[in-house]
Amino acid sequence: GMFAVYNKKAPKIAGESKPEAVYKAVLKCIKKDIQEIVVNPGATKLMLMIDAVNPAIMTNMLRKAGVHEFFRQQALDNKSQQ
């Protein structure tokens, strides 16, 4: 997944999905002509709804959960490896 590429665990708020779950979801989308599906466990669907209604609230939640810092640090790591 996108975090495994960097040998890191996803921030807890993001959750992690097993490759098998993603595989099954992709097949379901293809077979049933579904354009989008959420595979992540936990509150991902709720977070997407909150973001649609009020992006500022979601931004604040992600910042407090450490997601922004996670990606900031990853960007610095990527830059130092170039």
Side-chain angles (χ1 to χ4, degrees), residues 42-57:
T44 303
K45 288 181 185 178
L46 175 61
M47 292 186 323
L48 290 170
M49 287 187 274
I50 292 169
D51 189 48
V53 173
N54 191 330
I57 290 174

Side-chain angles (χ1 to χ4, degrees), residues 21-57:
V22 175
Y23 166 78
K24 287 179 182 179
V26 169
L27 286 180
K28 180 178 178 180
C29 287
I30 293 168
K31 290 177 181 178
K32 297 188 176 193
D33 196 25
I34 299 171
Q35 295 178 3
E36 188 172 336
I37 193 166
V38 177
V39 182
N40 296 52
T44 303
K45 288 181 185 178
L46 175 61
M47 292 186 323
L48 290 170
M49 287 187 274
I50 292 169
D51 189 48
V53 173
N54 191 330
I57 290 174

Side-chain angles (χ1 to χ4, degrees), residues 6 9 16 21 23 26 28 43-44 50 53 59 61 70 75 78:
Y6 302 111
K9 290 245 180 218
E16 293 184 3
Y23 166 78
V26 169
K28 180 178 178 180
T44 303
I50 292 169
V53 173
T59 297
M61 286 174 59
F70 177 92
N78 290 351

